[in-house]
Structures are given as structure tokens and as C-alpha cells.
Amino acid sequence: MNLLELSEQEIIRRNSLNELRAMGIDPYPAAEYVTNAFSTDIKAAFKDDEEEPRHVSVAGRIMSRRVMGKASFVELQDSKGRIQVYVTRDDICPEENKDLYNVVFKRLLDLGDIIGIEGFVFRTQMGEISIHAQKLTVLSKSLRPLPIVKYKDGVAYDKFDDPELRYRQRYVDLIVNDGIKETFLKRTKVIKTMRAVMDEAGYTEVETPILQSIPGGASARPFITHHNSLDIDLYMRIATELYLKRLIVGGFEGVYEIGKNFRNEGMDKTHNPEFTCMELYVQYKDYNWMMDFTERMLERICIAVNGCTETTIDGKTISFKAPYRRLPILEAIQEKTGYDLTGKTEEEIREVCKALNMEIDETMGKGKLIDEIFGEFCEGTFIQPTFITDYPVEMSPLTKMHRSKPGLTERFELMVNGKELANAYSELNDPIDQEERFKEQMRLADKGDDEAMIIDQDFLRALQYGMPPTSGIGIGIDRLVMLMTGNAFIQEVLFFPQMRPEKVAPKDAPAKYMELGIPEEWVPVIQKAGYNLVASMKEVNPQKLHMDICGVNKKYKLELKNPTVDEVTAWINQL
């Protein structure tokens, strides 16, 4: 790395790294460092009346330190928490040579470095459970300074709280901000509990293709890639549905998959183009059974994560205690808008949209229009878990027709905190009906709907072999974790959410500077001084530019021969 790309702190740390190596200390040792305790466990197990102090070996990152001559205190952070370490010169340097304390610990180690400590547990005079160090081992030298968050009386100061930086540098976020790791541990618990519920029911976890020749199972715009060997375009899957149904045809009682889906659509606080979904399909069940199963599963997940059936998000308390309200979608629309859409044609619904002052276009079919009305006037109003049921057939190309309500299907969406959490059907298993539904989707695509489904002929062939009556559901894991952890933004529950590329200041190529007579070795110096573009030198005073670049040369000890003011003036006069 070019020295001029480093900050002063980074240069100091790299010099310390070189000094450690010169002393014969490997700053990145390969050998296993054996630990036998974690910070939180040490504190929980400590007893003041123990006859013999407990000897421990721990490892972690230096988060703060107070050096007081021959003795110092260090706050060490391991994977579970933090603990204080008491370090004295004579304890870690029992021999005559005291360099490990005087040079390494006091001068060459920095905040953020990772060390190993062997010693015994005791309580300080201030009452804090600590480790008295008897041996110190350097395990990893940190070359970048951490943004250190200071806490006093439970209040954080100098926070690392810029969302752009936190999401882009999640590793730093996890190190310095309390509570971030807890969110992701809860995410793990959500998935483990969900998996346990389905495993206990006897259902089989499976894996299906991520690269697909036809993006099916949902109405969404896919990502497209190209397979060089086959010379065909492939799609990142938008759902796992059609492959999981093939397995039901093949004879599985119940199958589920927890995995990534990809949709080439907008990004906001509840949407990420790459997201995690769970889909479950069970033979001989219907959507009424699935509502009961979903209630029980979500109630159990909430208890596992939060210790009760309630969670709080956006200042609202949400109860996952079963049962949940069940409300047909057309009744919900009538309840919120006053318009009864039952039996209405596409044109009549279009007129309702106009009366409601909605923006619509000619590419929208009947299902899309109803979906837009529900999304604008109804969806955001359902805070407590509510099953919205019995969707029109135009909105549900993969769903079985309702057994007693013509024109409707046996489908539900679970709404929580104003957003869809789950989508489920009594699955369509009539291959002739399914083919007609696909054809209707293609007619919508011809009208310009780029989210309409493509006909999957192999899936139709599978249905023709006979699929038993089946119920299926998809649950958005990311949104579920948001609810269970009280986070309003999806980026808070994804380790590495999708981000725009980092902005990089534009720089002219060295050749443009060299055209002015500037030696090549001085180009990075000029840019380090803030003149990234040749044009930015045009109006500057030659003496100022001379002073700026000579200052960089001196500060970074580059040992370049400084140009004269006259030479700098000649450069600028070329512009």
C-alpha cells in the first residue's frame, strides 16, 4: 500500500508492527491459542470465598487501557462480553528483561489489538471482577484504529452510529456497538426454533436450485446471469415454490427450505434484493390448517426469542399469542375504503381506483388493481397479526379456487405491523387449471407487466403426474427477525445489506500531471495535498502549492528533492 494512502495513526501502527517483528515477536502467530473461559462465564462463576483463585486463559481485543507506571488495567473484549485485566510489569516479565511490558505492552500495543492472557481471577478494591495477568501473548496486530465508543452511566458517547458506515463496515459495528451482536444471535434463535418446529412435525429440510432456467413461484422481476458452458441465460431464483412442489409430487409428506431468494426490485427499509425466506409444503393439508400451524410456530418463536409472546417495535406492542384475526381481503378493502369489489369487472375496479385518486396504468390487470388498493389503503393498518384471506383468482396464479366462494382462492397473507410477513395457499394441483392461469400471466406480460410469471412446462408436467392436496407457506425471515428484535429497518438484521458502491473522489491520471512537467514521483504527493484534478491547481498561488507539497514530503519522510517555487510556478503556468 502506498504510504500516502495511510493516516498518521495507520503509519504508527505499521511501524509498531515492524518493531514487534524486529524483537522476534510474530504479530500474527499460527499456533493454536488455547482458551478455557469467556468473560461472562468468569464473572458468573466467581465466588469471593473460594480457597484457591481460578486460573484462566482468555483471548480478546483491547478496548481500553490505563497505564500507571509498573501496573496497568486493560478492558478485554471476547466473543461474549468484556472483562478487566490487571497487568503488572513484574508478573508478565518475571525475568530480568522487562521489554514485554515496557516496550511491547506500553508502546507497541494499541486499542483494537488482540492478545491472549493467562492468569487468575480476583476482585479489585473497587469491587470489579478481573483477571490478574501472569502471561501475555500477542495474537493479532490491528493496523487501523477503532472508533472507540465511550460509556458513562449507561450512556454512549462518540458513537459509531452513521448507518452508511455501520452497514458497510459491519465488522466494526459488531466490535464497538453494544447490542448489535445480540440482534444476530436472536436471528439465529428465530431460525433454529422455526427449524425445530418443522423437524418435530416430521418434515424434511431440502435444498433446491438457486440458478433456474425459469424464474417461478412468485410475481417479481428476477436477476439475470449467463452460463458460459451451456450458453444460456439463467435467473437467480425469486422463490423456491415450484421445486418444492415437485418434491411433494415425488412423494414427500412435507418439505421445507430456508434459503436466499433474489428479486431485482427496489430497496427501502423493509426490502433488500437478497433476502431469506422459509417455504413449507405439506401434503393433504389446506390453508385453514396452515393458519393454525403458523400461529403455533410464531408464538413459540416469540417465546424462544423474547421469553414471552409479545414484542415491541416502532413503539407498538405486538402480541403473537394465538389465535389471530382472519379477514377476507375484499371485506378488508370495503372496511377501509367503503367500496365493495365483489364481482366487479376490471373496468369497474379501474373506475374505483380513479375515484380513490390512485395512480394506475393500462398494464395493470384486475389482480394488480386490487393489490394496489389493498396496499395503499389497508395493508399498513394491520398492526396485530391478521390473516388476510380469500384473494381473487387474478391475484393468485398458483392457488386453488375457493371451495365455496366463486372467483376467489384459498389463500392468506399474514400482516403484522402493517407489512406482509407470510403468504400461503391451498395449493393448486389441477394441471389444466394451472396451465390456464399461466397463460393469463403471459397475457399480462404481453401488456407490459414485467413481474408476470413465465410458463414452467416442466412444473406442469409434474402436476400431470398428480400432486396430492397440499398447503404451502412462505415466511420472510428478515421481516420476522425485525419484528422479534424490534428493528424497523431490514438493514439492521442483515449482516451485510446491499449498498451502493463507495464514493471515490475522482483523480486525474499521472500522465495529465506529467504533461505539465511534473515528475511522476511528485504526482501522488500533489494529490495527497488535495489537488486530485489537474484543473484544481489552476487558480492556486504557487507559493501555497509549494508549501503544501513540501509539507507532505516532510510529514511522510518521503525524502524527495523539493522543487523550487519557480518550478511550481512553471507547472501552474502550463494550465
Side-chain angles (χ1 to χ4, degrees), residues 30-167:
E32 175 190 9
Y33 185 84
V34 179
T35 63
N36 61 15
F38 291 101
S39 56
T40 50
D41 303 331
I42 291 171
K43 293 176 182 179
F46 180 78
K47 295 178 182 178
D48 286 300
D49 56 359
E50 286 182 328
E51 292 185 10
E52 290 288 331
R54 178 186 176 187
H55 285 261
V56 297
S57 176
V58 299
R61 193 181 296 273
I62 300 173
M63 298 304 293
S64 68
R65 64 177 179 177
R66 289 173 288 141
V67 178
M68 302 170 292
K70 298 178 182 179
S72 302
F73 284 99
V74 168
E75 185 178 38
L76 204 67
Q77 177 172 289
D78 61 18
S79 60
K80 291 191 176 182
R82 298 184 181 188
I83 192 165
Q84 182 174 267
V85 178
Y86 177 59
V87 183
T88 69
R89 186 192 65 183
D90 293 336
D91 281 319
I92 67 169
C93 304
E95 307 295 332
E96 186 175 339
N97 187 329
K98 308 297 182 182
D99 284 351
L100 180 61
Y101 184 84
N102 292 336
V103 179
V104 175
F105 177 78
K106 291 178 68 174
R107 188 167 60 80
L108 301 183
L109 289 185
D110 297 287
L111 300 187
D113 289 352
I114 298 172
I115 59 174
I117 294 291
E118 295 178 42
F120 59 88
V121 185
F122 75 111
R123 189 187 295 276
T124 66
Q125 292 181 347
M126 299 298 293
E128 185 168 353
I129 298 169
S130 307
I131 301 171
H132 189 127
Q134 294 173 304
K135 185 176 180 181
L136 183 150
T137 305
V138 178
L139 298 177
S140 183
K141 180 68 185 165
S142 171
L143 299 183
R144 285 180 180 265
L146 286 172
I148 299 299
V149 181
K150 302 178 181 68
Y151 292 90
K152 184 176 182 181
D153 300 326
V155 178
Y157 299 90
D158 299 328
K159 288 184 179 180
F160 181 68
D161 58 3
D162 182 332
E164 172 85 7
L165 288 174
R166 288 183 52 239
Y167 304 152

Side-chain angles (χ1 to χ4, degrees), residues 494-519:
L494 302 175
F495 272 128
F496 305 105
Q498 190 64 49
M499 305 287 290
R500 294 185 185 278
E502 288 188 74
K503 292 182 179 179
V504 178
K507 290 184 177 181
D508 279 336
K512 292 195 70 172
Y513 292 87
M514 294 164 66
E515 289 172 3
L516 306 178
I518 300 174

